[in-house]
Amino acid sequence: MQELKNKRATIKDVAKLAEVSTAVVSYVFNKTSGRSVSPETRSKVEWAAKMLQYVPNNVARSMLSASTMSIGV
């Protein structure tokens, strides 16, 4: 975790620490319907995110949804 001191944690970092795939991390964070994640795995992902102080990247999310939720002035 030393190398994360000067950069924001990514979904890849969370997946690596939780020892799961990035897809599983995405399912947990997005509460994807139709995707079953065991309570144990969900806890591991949530723990890893907390340990790394993971914050979702809103810019990346807005590119995916094509909506920035901001108003231009």
Side-chain angles (χ1 to χ4, degrees):
M1 285 197 315
Q2 182 69 17
E3 65 274 0
L4 293 177
K5 282 200 180 252
N6 294 324
K7 74 170 195 156
R8 248 175 109 152
T10 65
I11 195 170
K12 290 180 182 181
D13 299 325
V14 174
K16 184 177 180 180
L17 184 59
E19 298 177 332
V20 297
S21 71
T22 56
V24 170
V25 175
S26 178
Y27 298 153
V28 171
F29 290 156
N30 296 316
K31 298 177 178 78
T32 305
S33 62
R35 300 292 183 177
S36 178
V37 178
S38 74
E40 179 184 337
T41 301
R42 182 175 299 279
S43 292
K44 283 173 52 175
V45 170
E46 291 170 348
W47 172 83
K50 186 175 181 177
M51 294 303 298
L52 295 171
Q53 298 177 348
Y54 173 78
V55 178
N57 185 327
N58 290 326
V59 174
R61 183 167 290 204
S62 68
M63 287 175 22
L64 179 63
S65 69
S67 172
T68 62
M69 303 302 276
S70 13
I71 299 172
V73 184

